[in-house]
Amino acid sequence: MVDAAFGDPRLAVLYDPLEADRADLDVYAAIAREVGARRVVDVGCGTGTFALLLAGRGLDVTGVDPALASLDVARRKAGAGRVRWVHGDAAGLPALGADLATLTGNVAQAIVAPDAWEGTLRGVRRALRPGGHLVLETRDPARRAWEGWTRAATRRTVHVDGTGPVETWVEVTDVSPPLVSFAGTYVLHATGEMLHSRSTLRFRTRAEVEAALTACGYVLDEVRDAPDRPGREFVFLARRPGD
């Protein structure tokens, strides 16, 4: 089930202007350089920001996402022809011989169902070459990030070209660990239209992610801190063993 924030065309076009600061992607670009990746699979690529960044640096990039509306935004961007865009989930990926697969942002947490999570990890493994790398991040549940997801703390207004002022906020609707659900509200002041999106994230512990990676045939090389969010995120670096 695709969240409206990504699957509703009216909201998909707002994602980039509302999330303009993507400094969180710097760590992934650095890891791509670190492992010498030339062919990358960006899982949950959304509107294509990271896929296009890598393609602009000469890498061979495949962007995968189940939200067609987000992919439509990505395909309209400058340089989009340099990326292969795949509408679907990673469980269906074929063997691509990729050097690196990435799950940036909240992608790993948005894969809520255990069978979908396992299918994603196994599909990514299939897409990697022997010795290819996987990097993903997830919030540390011990930090209880959802406690800051209140209307008062998240409410803001952003001017969007062609749309006008957009007021937005999120509010938690249910906390049933390891699942946290929240609602996003978007007010388009130019028209008075109010749009909504509901989302659920799974907060996995470090041990749970490590166990899942091992069970799906990966070797875990390292767990790092996210440099832009110290103490709040786990960044997992794993690889498909060489044949």
Side-chain angles (χ1 to χ4, degrees):
M1 187 70 177
V2 175
D3 297 349
F6 312 110
D8 185 331
R10 300 169 298 174
L11 291 176
V13 297
L14 299 178
Y15 182 84
D16 288 333
L18 293 179
E19 303 295 337
D21 182 4
R22 294 309 311 271
D24 62 298
L25 297 177
D26 292 345
V27 64
Y28 291 95
I31 289 172
R33 292 192 300 270
E34 177 184 333
V35 302
R38 300 302 305 165
R39 181 172 296 173
V40 178
V41 180
D42 184 18
V43 178
C45 65
T47 58
T49 300
F50 186 57
L52 289 167
L53 183 154
L54 294 182
R57 298 179 179 181
L59 277 65
D60 181 315
V61 184
T62 299
V64 184
D65 203 287
L68 183 58
S70 293
L71 286 178
D72 286 343
V73 173
R75 290 182 175 120
R76 292 195 294 268
K77 292 182 176 181
R82 292 178 293 191
V83 177
R84 287 183 298 277
W85 305 106
V86 177
H87 178 220
D89 59 47
L93 284 172
L96 296 174
D99 304 305
L100 174 67
T102 61
L103 282 78
T104 65
N106 298 325
V107 169
Q109 289 188 259
I111 305 169
V112 173
D115 58 341
W117 176 234
E118 179 180 345
T120 295
L121 293 178
R122 293 191 182 281
V124 168
R125 185 184 185 280
R126 184 168 55 250
L128 292 171
R129 65 167 174 79
H133 296 80
L134 165 65
V135 58
L136 64 91
E137 70 175 47
T138 187
R139 294 182 181 91
D140 180 356
R143 295 298 299 267
R144 302 175 66 86
W146 59 85
E147 292 182 348
W149 299 350
T150 65
R151 177 170 177 167
T154 63
R155 188 174 183 177
R156 59 199 173 102
T157 300
V158 176
H159 183 85
V160 177
D161 290 344
T163 300
V166 177
E167 184 180 0
T168 183
W169 64 87
V170 298
E171 295 175 286
V172 171
T173 57
D174 184 71
V175 178
S176 301
L179 303 181
V180 176
S181 298
F182 57 96
T185 300
Y186 307 81
V187 182
L188 282 57
H189 284 280
T191 63
E193 189 175 11
M194 182 177 288
L195 305 175
H196 302 277
S197 178
R198 294 187 177 276
S199 305
T200 297
L201 299 179
R202 180 176 287 270
F203 282 75
R204 299 178 178 91
T205 65
R206 172 173 172 167
E208 287 172 326
V209 177
E210 290 179 353
L213 289 168
T214 300
C216 291
Y218 292 88
V219 174
L220 180 63
D221 289 326
E222 191 177 356
V223 182
R224 300 179 180 178
D225 206 11
D228 60 319
R229 289 150 290 163
R232 293 185 289 168
E233 303 267 344
F234 299 123
V235 179
F236 296 85
L237 285 84
R239 58 185 162 83
R240 174 180 170 176
D243 288 348

